[in-house]
Amino acid sequence: MKTLKKLTVVLAISGLLFTSCDKNSEKEAKTVEVKLENGQTATYNINTNGLLSFDDWNEFNTANKELKDIESLNLETTKARISALGNSIANLENTIPSWLKTEEVLEDIDDVQKDYQKLLKEKNEPVKNVKQNLEELIEKFDDLREELNETIDDYTS
C-alpha cells in the first residue's frame, strides 16, 4: 500500500512538471517582417528570451548573443570571451542594414565601440575596474537594443 501511495505521488509530481514544462515550450521565437518605404521587406526575429536578431546583420547577432551570455559568466571566462567580440563590434556600423541606420542607432553603436575599446585596454586592470567597464559596455549595448526596438516600432506603427 505504501508503494502504491509513493507511486501515485511520483506520478502526480511528474505530471505537474511535464505540464509546467509544456507551458514554457509554448513561448516560441517570433519572426516579424517589416514593410520598408521602398517596398521591400526586412525580417527580424525575437527569440524566447526577448533577444533581437536580424537576418541581414550577423555582427549584431553575434555581439548580442555573446554579451547576453557573458553577463552570467565568471570574470575569468568573460575575459577570454571579450577578445572574441572584436570583429563583431568593430563591424557593427559597417554592416548595419540601411533600414536600421538612424542617427540615434549610429550614436549608440559608436558608444558601444568606445566602451569595448576601453574594456580591452583595461582588461588586465584590477577586477573592480574590469567589472565596471564590462557593466558599462553591457549598458551601452542595452541602449543600442532599446534604440533598435524604437526604430523597428517606427516601421511597424
Side-chain angles (χ1 to χ4, degrees):
M1 194 60 148
K2 287 183 181 181
T3 306
L4 184 57
K5 285 183 181 180
K6 287 181 182 178
L7 182 60
T8 304
V9 170
V10 168
L11 288 174
I13 291 172
S14 298
L16 287 173
L17 288 174
F18 285 121
T19 303
S20 65
C21 290
D22 189 39
K23 287 181 183 175
N24 288 338
S25 66
E26 290 176 14
K27 283 177 44 179
E28 293 182 15
K30 182 170 97 172
T31 300
V32 180
E33 286 190 355
V34 176
K35 187 82 165 171
L36 304 177
E37 292 172 1
N38 63 7
Q40 295 179 323
T41 55
T43 305
Y44 70 94
N45 305 294
I46 303 172
N47 74 11
T48 55
N49 297 326
L51 281 181
L52 280 174
S53 67
F54 299 93
D55 288 352
D56 52 354
W57 198 13
N58 289 331
E59 287 73 12
F60 173 83
N61 299 341
T62 300
N64 192 28
K65 182 180 180 335
E66 282 294 315
L67 282 172
K68 269 300 183 194
D69 290 347
I70 282 173
E71 287 182 50
S72 62
L73 298 174
N74 67 46
L75 192 59
E76 285 308 311
T77 307
T78 298
K79 282 183 177 183
R81 290 178 71 171
I82 287 171
S83 297
L85 283 171
N87 286 337
S88 295
I89 289 181
N91 287 310
L92 285 172
E93 188 172 348
N94 301 334
T95 58
I96 186 173
S98 58
W99 69 281
L100 293 170
K101 200 179 271 190
T102 66
E103 184 178 334
E104 294 82 6
V105 169
L106 292 175
E107 286 173 4
D108 285 343
I109 288 172
D110 189 50
D111 290 343
V112 165
Q113 290 172 333
K114 286 177 184 173
D115 280 7
Y116 177 73
Q117 289 303 317
K118 181 178 178 184
L119 178 61
L120 275 183
K121 286 179 192 171
E122 299 178 5
K123 74 178 186 177
N124 294 319
E125 296 289 320
V127 171
K128 180 181 173 184
N129 294 8
V130 175
K131 283 184 178 182
Q132 181 180 354
N133 289 339
L134 181 59
E135 287 172 12
E136 289 173 9
L137 172 61
I138 290 170
E139 183 180 313
K140 295 297 185 196
F141 209 88
D142 284 343
D143 292 346
L144 174 59
R145 289 181 190 115
E146 185 178 326
E147 192 58 51
L148 288 168
N149 279 318
E150 290 176 16
T151 302
I152 291 167
D153 286 346
D154 288 345
Y155 280 100
T156 57
S157 57

